[in-house]
Amino acid sequence: MTAPPDVWKIASVTDAALARAAVDRVLTDGGTPALERARLLTSLTARLRHCLSRGGEWELLLHLRHTGDHQDGRLDVWLRPVGSALPAPDGGPALSCPLPRPPAGHPPRTGLPLPEALLHADEDTAALLSLLDEQEHLIRLHREELHDTNQGVLALHSDLEAAVRAQRELLDAERAARAEAERARRLLTFLGDASAAITASLSPTAIVRRLSELLIPDYAADLDVWLFDEDDERPHPVREHSAAAVAAARTGRPQHAAPHPGNLPGIGDLPPSALSPERPLLAIPLGAHSLLGVLTLTAPGPRFDPDTCVMLVELARRVGIALDNARQYERYRDTADTLQRAQLTDLPAVPGLLLAARYLPATQGLNIGGDWYDAFLQPDGSLLAVIGDVTGHGLHAAVVMGQLRTALRAYAVDNATPGQVLTRLHHMLRHLQPDLYATALVARIRPGEPEVVWASAGHPPAVVRGADAAVRVLGDKPGVMLGIPVTYTYADHVAELPPGSSLVLYTDGLVERRAQGIDPGIERLRRALGALSAPELEQDPDAAADALLKPLLHDSERDDDVCLLLCHTVTPTGPERRTQGA
């Protein structure tokens, strides 16, 4: 619904002011908000000034139109020259403003008087200023809120940066801790592996060589091992040692020699060594219970690491223990070997027999002192050939072996058979050494008789080479080991041994291998004996014994004693011959 427009004549400033006042009244009565009203009136005032500046008469048209079924509408305002048919040819487009309600007294024929219009304009200005104040207050609140937000964001950003720094520091600390733990793990692993490698040997030379292989070049550029007992054995002049090594030997405390103090835990500091002025030296005493020597290390870099030094000091302590064990082993081994060899028999001269014997001590471990051989004449002229092996090794085994050898000779004085001798020996060992056992084989050869009587107490079987070069193993079932806690009587066995035959007695160290057992070794011995010729056996029994040992021991680890007793029967034609070797 549209009302006809109201028209105002405008020819002067007064007309323009009255027209503006009339529009203001319509807007005020229509309940137009002050801001919308001020916007329309400001635009209208500008257009009125424009029209007055152009001169002539103008018409102001007010057009009220309703929107929808509601009471609200809109007020449209135009300016045009008087007489113009166009709505607003030069006054610009229509000005429009919402009217929340129908204005009272519309259409207005007169506007407000000018004084009242001015006062009303001030009221509008005051309303606008109040609105501006409210807006400024809101803007100030928004600014404060924005400032607080910015401060919060900055504080949050600062907190985030602090959290990031703390997280980075934690990550760096964790990374450093992990690196330190990994480094400690590597040092402990190396210490364990190096200790196992060093303590596995009982040779001082091998221990020193292995130590050098382990430490160079990762933990030392060079090393020197000064063993005090070597100086006692070495002819003068002696080797020159660093002042740090001498101080370590004198004080028993590790010493560090470098241009600058190392401040290493538990290690003294000395001036740089004349033997190594550029690189630091670390001299560590060797020994746990007693001082055996000094290990001197040249640093692989510009300095020694403290943690590495702790590991090296501990490794040196373990090396000292290994060297002490090796020295004790050597003394123990030498004593046992001396005792063992002192108790070995000088082979007798027997008409019609050639004898040769070999004793080879073990070259690895403490497996020495349990094997023995013996050969002696009984009162009736018979030869008793004996081979035996005491369980266990070392001095105790050597002592027991000597007791068995003496007892066996005593039991054979009354011309007892091999079985009778072993039975008595078994009874004696059961009562005197209940925790020790032994194996033995006793063979009796009577001159002029083409046979051998033998008995075995759990010992490897003898091997016989006939005059026709045929080799056989005396494989009759042996008796129990000597000393087993059972009553036992050993049986005698008889085998042919005509002139030109050979009887070989041996211990298990000759034929037994861990990975193969004993049977393959006996077969190799049988073939080696069969490969010997009669002239070799009769002309040089020693060479024949060595020929038997060589093919059986060339691949052996020699972790057990080896005894061999070779008896070769001949027809006596001249002076008797006897041989013994070790």
Side-chain angles (χ1 to χ4, degrees):
M1 179 178 181
T2 304
D6 295 327
V7 180
W8 290 74
K9 298 292 185 178
I10 298 173
S12 64
V13 174
T14 301
D15 295 337
L18 293 173
R20 181 186 182 284
V23 173
D24 185 13
R25 181 176 181 180
V26 172
L27 295 175
T28 302
D29 292 342
T32 301
L35 182 61
E36 295 293 334
R37 189 169 66 248
R39 285 176 179 171
L40 188 140
L41 292 175
T42 301
S43 299
L44 178 60
T45 301
R47 290 190 183 188
L48 289 172
R49 288 175 180 174
H50 174 71
C51 293
L52 291 175
S53 65
R54 292 180 60 183
E57 294 184 351
W58 294 78
E59 292 180 342
L60 174 67
L61 286 80
L62 300 180
H63 183 206
L64 178 64
R65 53 189 175 89
H66 297 282
T67 59
D69 296 334
H70 302 285
Q71 296 298 320
D72 58 340
R74 295 192 68 84
L75 177 65
D76 297 328
V77 181
W78 292 278
L79 278 172
R80 67 181 180 183
V82 174
S84 173
L86 297 177
D90 297 318
L95 299 175
S96 181
C97 184
L99 293 175
R101 63 176 180 268
H106 183 77
R109 292 304 169 189
T110 59
L112 293 173
L114 287 178
E116 294 183 11
L118 291 175
L119 291 176
H120 193 268
D122 290 341
E123 292 177 359
D124 291 341
T125 302
L128 287 177
L129 291 176
S130 175
L131 181 61
L132 287 176
D133 290 340
E134 292 178 0
Q135 294 297 324
E136 287 181 356
H137 178 68
L138 291 176
I139 290 174
R140 185 166 57 253
L141 292 178
H142 287 308
R143 284 179 179 174
E144 292 176 356
E145 182 178 357
L146 180 61
H147 176 73
D148 293 340
T149 302
N150 289 338
Q151 293 298 319
V153 170
L154 292 176
L156 178 61
H157 182 69
S158 177
D159 292 341
L160 289 175
E161 285 187 346
V164 169
R165 285 195 301 271
Q167 185 69 18
R168 187 180 298 113
E169 290 174 358
L170 289 176
L171 290 175
D172 292 342
E174 180 182 2
R175 190 178 296 112
R178 288 187 176 183
E180 186 69 18
E182 176 62 21
R183 189 165 174 275
R185 186 195 64 79
R186 287 199 305 269
L187 290 176
L188 288 175
T189 300
F190 173 80
L191 178 61
D193 294 342
S195 300
I198 289 171
T199 55
S201 176
L202 288 173
S203 168
T205 302
I207 290 174
V208 172
R209 182 176 63 252
R210 186 63 178 140
L211 183 63
S212 176
E213 296 171 353
L214 289 169
L215 295 181
I216 297 175
D218 293 337
Y219 297 98
D222 191 17
L223 66 80
D224 174 71
V225 178
W226 173 20
L227 298 178
F228 301 151
D229 56 355
E230 288 183 354
D231 288 345
D232 297 336
E233 299 172 0
R234 183 184 296 111
H236 293 283
V238 299
R239 184 178 52 187
E240 183 178 9
H241 300 288
S242 66
V246 175
R250 185 179 66 254
T251 63
R253 183 187 180 200
Q255 301 294 328
H256 173 260
H260 303 286
N263 297 322
L264 301 174
I267 300 175
D269 280 310
L270 295 175
S273 171
L275 299 180
S276 180
E278 300 298 330
R279 286 198 175 187
L281 293 182
L282 183 63
I284 310 174
L286 296 174
H289 306 295
S290 61
L291 195 59
L292 302 178
V294 176
L295 170 64
T296 303
L297 304 172
T298 303
R303 62 182 56 85
F304 281 102
D305 176 72
D307 293 337
T308 302
C309 287
V310 173
M311 183 274 293
L312 292 174
V313 171
E314 174 60 21
L315 179 60
R317 186 186 69 83
R318 300 185 184 187
V319 170
I321 294 175
L323 289 172
D324 188 47
N325 292 338
R327 295 293 165 78
Q328 292 185 23
Y329 159 74
E330 287 185 340
R331 290 192 294 268
Y332 187 88
R333 176 187 174 86
D334 292 344
T335 302
D337 185 45
T338 301
L339 178 61
Q340 176 85 359
R341 293 183 181 277
Q343 298 184 98
L344 294 177
T345 304
D346 291 332
L347 299 178
V350 182
L353 284 175
L354 298 176
L355 303 176
R358 289 291 183 270
Y359 169 73
L360 301 177
T363 58
Q364 293 188 6
L366 291 170
N367 299 338
I368 187 173
D371 295 13
W372 93 94
Y373 69 84
D374 199 359
F376 59 92
L377 294 174
Q378 291 183 293
D380 63 358
S382 301
L383 174 76
L384 279 190
V386 182
I387 198 84
D389 187 359
V390 176
T391 59
H393 302 280
L395 284 175
H396 184 57
V399 170
V400 173
M401 179 271 292
Q403 294 174 349
L404 289 178
R405 173 179 174 274
T406 302
L408 190 147
R409 285 192 170 220
Y411 293 145
V413 168
D414 59 356
N415 298 319
T417 66
Q420 293 171 339
V421 171
L422 289 179
T423 300
R424 296 171 182 173
L425 202 61
H426 173 61
H427 181 74
M428 183 272 293
L429 192 59
R430 281 177 56 203
H431 290 279
L432 297 184
Q433 297 286 346
D435 297 329
L436 203 62
Y437 310 109
T439 66
L441 191 150
V442 181
R444 185 181 67 185
I445 304 174
R446 283 182 175 171
E449 294 184 4
E451 62 184 17
V452 58
V453 180
W454 63 276
S456 175
H459 199 80
V463 179
V464 175
R465 179 187 185 278
D468 58 354
V471 180
R472 67 186 187 278
V473 178
L474 302 183
D476 299 68
K477 184 177 180 180
V480 300
M481 292 178 66
L482 298 173
I484 294 294
V486 295
T487 302
Y488 191 82
T489 300
Y490 294 89
D492 290 314
H493 304 276
V494 180
E496 293 183 359
L497 194 67
S501 301
S502 299
L503 174 69
V504 177
L505 309 181
Y506 56 91
T507 56
D508 58 358
L510 180 64
V511 295
E512 188 174 20
R513 300 294 180 271
R514 291 180 181 176
Q516 301 176 357
I518 195 171
D519 292 338
I522 295 175
E523 176 60 24
R524 293 169 66 185
L525 175 61
R526 190 189 67 80
R527 291 198 301 268
L529 183 58
L532 295 177
S533 63
E536 289 178 305
L537 290 166
E538 294 182 358
Q539 294 175 9
D540 194 347
D542 281 324
D546 292 336
L548 289 175
L549 294 175
K550 185 175 180 181
L552 276 82
L553 297 181
H554 77 280
D555 61 346
S556 172
E557 297 180 357
R558 296 286 302 281
D559 55 359
D560 197 2
D561 290 356
V562 173
C563 275
L564 180 139
L565 181 58
L566 172 63
C567 305
H568 183 73
T569 61
V570 296
T571 302
T573 58
E576 300 86 353
R577 290 180 288 176
R578 65 173 183 266
T579 60
Q580 175 186 7

